[in-house]
Amino acid sequence: MSELVNQITALERKVRESDEARQTADRLWDATEDVLDELRSLESSFYTFSSDIDGFIGDNDYPAVERAAYEIQGALAAQHLLPLVRRAMLLLALREGSSLPALGVMESVPDVAPGDAAHPSLTWGELMRDSERDLASSEESLRKIWCDEGDEAELDEHLHDARFEAIRDRATRAGRQVIALCDYVAQLVPELVRCTERLLVDEALRAVAVLDAAGDEAPKAYKVYEAALSEQYEQSPGSLGVMGEHLMQFESWMRSQL
């Protein structure tokens, strides 16, 4: 009888240990997927960013664009991404019974080679150069159209419109640089996820470095947009719609305080 009790007790212990092992495995699986999902979700998050910023630019909501630019930089910072990648790789190795990756090397990212840092960029000088070239072409065409005697008033009006349209186009193009950055990042995220899932440490580090460099470009892109939008506001506050009205009211209030 005692032998039977011992066998039953041993069997119960094995079942209990099996259940505990299964629960541990389930927790490990869930923890790994949670971290990987955080990395995977960056792709859809940046497409959402892109759509939101498009709306902000349409409303000339430059404070919202600025906030978004710094959120982009924060989300892509190496100091944010590296811990996620390290944790994901460690959990994956444990879950799959693989050799642990050399996580000690994942404390910093490598320098990004110029060929790898292909993120969209736009300086104020580049924006002005392209804009002035296009404006010169438009003015040349207008002078050919309104070239008859007595066309001077019409020509002046069309030249004025073309010059303001060039200013508006500069603001639009500058704003769309932030959108282009979001789309670029969204397309890169799957590569980071792939390298992480395959425990490719060097490749994952390069992917983080490229994303980090792209994130640093976002505030720079915003500054160009801010300068272009300020130029448009100076020429025609009303062209900024509701945002222009708010700025004019604020300026009026400021003058009243002097």
Side-chain angles (χ1 to χ4, degrees):
M1 185 68 176
S2 60
E3 180 64 25
L4 178 60
V5 170
N6 289 338
Q7 290 178 357
I8 293 173
T9 301
L11 180 60
E12 289 176 341
R13 184 172 61 254
K14 288 182 179 180
V15 170
R16 186 167 55 253
E17 290 173 349
S18 177
D19 287 342
E20 291 174 353
R22 185 166 54 251
Q23 291 171 8
T24 300
D26 289 343
R27 288 195 295 270
L28 179 57
W29 179 278
D30 291 342
T32 305
E33 289 303 307
D34 285 345
V35 180
L36 287 173
D37 283 345
E38 190 168 352
L39 290 174
R40 293 168 183 147
S41 68
L42 284 173
E43 181 179 3
S44 60
S45 295
F46 273 88
Y47 280 129
T48 300
F49 255 134
S50 178
S51 178
D52 290 345
I53 294 170
D54 191 32
F56 299 152
I57 291 170
D59 294 335
N60 301 303
D61 190 349
Y62 65 92
V65 177
E66 181 180 26
R67 286 194 300 273
Y70 284 100
E71 286 177 23
I72 290 168
Q73 185 182 39
L76 297 176
Q79 63 185 17
H80 171 69
L81 290 179
L82 270 180
L84 289 176
V85 172
R86 282 198 303 267
R87 196 179 315 139
M89 285 189 169
L90 175 59
L91 290 170
L92 276 166
L94 291 172
R95 189 177 80 178
E96 297 173 3
S98 304
S99 299
L100 292 179
L103 299 180
V105 304
M106 300 187 68
E107 298 299 328
S108 60
V109 297
D111 293 334
V112 180
D116 292 334
H119 55 259
S121 63
L122 179 68
T123 66
W124 178 256
E126 291 169 339
L127 180 64
M128 289 300 297
R129 179 200 62 204
D130 295 345
S131 178
E132 289 171 355
R133 180 196 60 214
D134 294 342
L135 177 58
S137 178
S138 295
E139 289 183 342
E140 182 179 359
S141 296
L142 288 170
R143 293 181 191 282
K144 290 178 180 178
I145 295 170
W146 304 98
C147 60
D148 294 335
E149 187 176 349
D151 284 346
E152 291 83 0
E154 289 283 356
L155 176 60
D156 287 345
E157 180 180 348
H158 283 86
L159 287 175
H160 177 272
D161 291 344
R163 288 161 187 162
F164 178 70
E165 194 60 33
I167 293 173
R168 189 198 297 268
D169 287 346
R170 285 198 284 273
T172 300
R173 182 186 171 192
R176 293 203 64 81
Q177 278 298 114
V178 187
I179 297 174
L181 270 171
C182 290
D183 294 341
Y184 169 82
V185 166
Q187 293 167 12
L188 288 185
V189 169
E191 176 64 10
L192 172 63
V193 174
R194 183 190 71 82
C195 295
T196 301
E197 290 178 333
R198 296 187 181 185
L199 303 180
L200 302 174
V201 174
D202 291 342
E203 289 84 345
L205 286 175
R206 281 197 295 271
V208 171
V210 170
L211 289 170
D212 180 74
D216 286 342
E217 191 67 31
K220 300 175 187 176
Y222 167 73
K223 291 299 183 183
V224 176
Y225 169 68
E226 181 185 50
L229 201 65
S230 296
E231 181 187 30
Q232 181 178 334
Y233 176 74
E234 290 172 3
Q235 291 295 318
S236 176
S239 68
L240 268 61
V242 174
M243 183 58 67
E245 293 176 7
H246 289 332
L247 288 172
M248 286 188 289
Q249 290 172 3
F250 179 72
E251 283 190 348
S252 296
W253 179 81
M254 288 293 291
R255 285 194 294 269
S256 71
Q257 303 304 306
L258 297 178

